[in-house]
Amino acid sequence: MYNRQDAFYKKAKREGYRSRAAYKLIELNKKYEIYRNGHNVLDVGCAPGGWSQVALQMSKTRVVGVDLLETGDMEMERFTFILGDITTQETVDEVLAACSGYDAVISDAAPNTSGSKLLDHVNSIELVRKIFYFACSVLKPGGNFICKVFEGEDRDALVKEMKVHFDFCKHIRPEATRKGSFEMYIILKGFKGLPKNEQ
Ligand SMILES: C[S@@+](CC[C@H](N)C(=O)[O-])C[C@H]1O[C@@H](n2cnc3c(N)ncnc32)[C@H](O)[C@@H]1O
């Protein structure tokens, strides 16, 4: 068992972040500049709101956050929250209506874990693939994408499939990741656009 109240959890409480996951985005954005000030950012799987909170610290950045769950109490002019499932057309339409083009799509979305590493991996790959192709339909050329995936044998094939559409690709496990967790993040920069037959 891991300690839920570990150092990052306590730090998040102390520093007013809505999740310990906030530190992962801080680290990843410092290293890879996935979004910049003034960017339009789509945060998929945003609840309880730590990543959105971090992105909104840049004074001109706008964030659209979407999640199956409420974030609650995150009213801010530059933040739009959409309650819904990103794999459904209804939610996709709402995300499209909220902004005409995104500079960055950041996704910490993950399926509920089942206790089976294989099943969790398969579900995660399926969810990430859907989010990825949706991201490709809303990203501006040159835009950036980051997503979380549960490690397993299909990860390499997914990365291979994704990276042909971007100039830069890296996969990384941030320091704030819990010990024993099998999650990692895929970072893609410089969206080239999808070929016509995949749009
Ligand atoms: C680890 S949490 C995200 C934490 C967030 N980055 C933060 O810092 O507060 C993963 C979230 O993904 C959401 N999620 C999973 N599948 C989703 C889907 N199909 N559509 C929208 N949100 C989804 C879950 O409801 C959950 O809130």
Side-chain angles (χ1 to χ4, degrees):
M1 279 294 283
Y2 56 77
N3 177 9
R4 279 193 174 271
Q5 299 209 359
D6 66 3
F8 281 106
Y9 174 92
K10 287 182 184 147
K11 193 168 177 219
K13 282 255 169 242
R14 213 169 43 239
E15 295 181 356
Y17 285 113
R18 302 172 73 93
S19 68
R20 66 188 295 298
Y23 296 103
K24 298 180 202 169
L25 186 62
I26 292 171
E27 178 188 336
L28 294 172
N29 206 52
K30 203 184 241 174
K31 274 192 184 139
Y32 297 106
E33 204 179 44
I34 299 145
Y35 59 86
R36 292 198 303 274
N37 200 7
H39 272 176
N40 289 324
V41 176
L42 173 62
D43 183 1
V44 181
C46 67
W51 278 27
S52 290
Q53 206 182 1
V54 167
L56 287 162
Q57 284 172 342
M58 290 186 176
S59 61
K60 293 183 186 144
T61 299
R62 294 190 165 271
V63 177
V64 174
V66 56
D67 205 292
L68 297 166
L69 307 173
E70 290 281 2
T71 52
D73 186 28
M74 267 202 56
E75 274 170 40
M76 194 167 182
E77 198 215 324
R78 292 179 289 111
F79 179 67
T80 305
F81 176 67
I82 295 166
L83 180 67
D85 180 344
I86 194 64
T87 65
T88 65
Q89 192 58 47
E90 193 188 344
T91 305
V92 160
D93 289 344
E94 282 190 62
V95 172
L96 290 171
C99 179
S100 56
Y102 293 91
D103 302 284
V105 176
I106 59 177
S107 171
D108 197 22
N112 287 329
T113 48
S114 66
S116 156
K117 204 171 164 185
L118 178 62
L119 183 62
D120 294 346
H121 164 64
V122 170
N123 289 340
S124 158
I125 294 279
E126 193 185 327
L127 178 65
V128 170
R129 186 174 272 115
K130 285 182 184 159
I131 294 170
F132 173 74
Y133 283 104
F134 174 60
C136 290
S137 72
V138 296
L139 270 178
K140 294 180 188 170
N144 303 325
F145 177 71
I146 177 173
C147 62
K148 173 163 77 184
V149 69
F150 292 152
E151 283 279 32
E153 64 178 29
D154 293 338
R155 187 255 285 169
D156 286 347
L158 178 68
V159 170
K160 201 170 159 195
E161 184 180 325
M162 290 169 149
K163 71 184 199 184
V164 295
H165 305 293
F166 287 79
D167 293 329
F168 170 91
C169 173
K170 184 99 189 161
H171 38 92
I172 180 174
R173 204 179 135 85
E175 273 176 32
T177 304
R178 291 184 200 277
K179 286 190 180 52
S181 158
F182 66 120
E183 69 182 32
M184 47 85 67
Y185 290 82
I186 303 169
I187 291 148
L188 295 152
K189 291 192 69 177
F191 180 53
K192 297 180 198 170
L194 285 178
K196 283 271 174 275
N197 61 352
E198 288 183 37
Q199 285 175 7

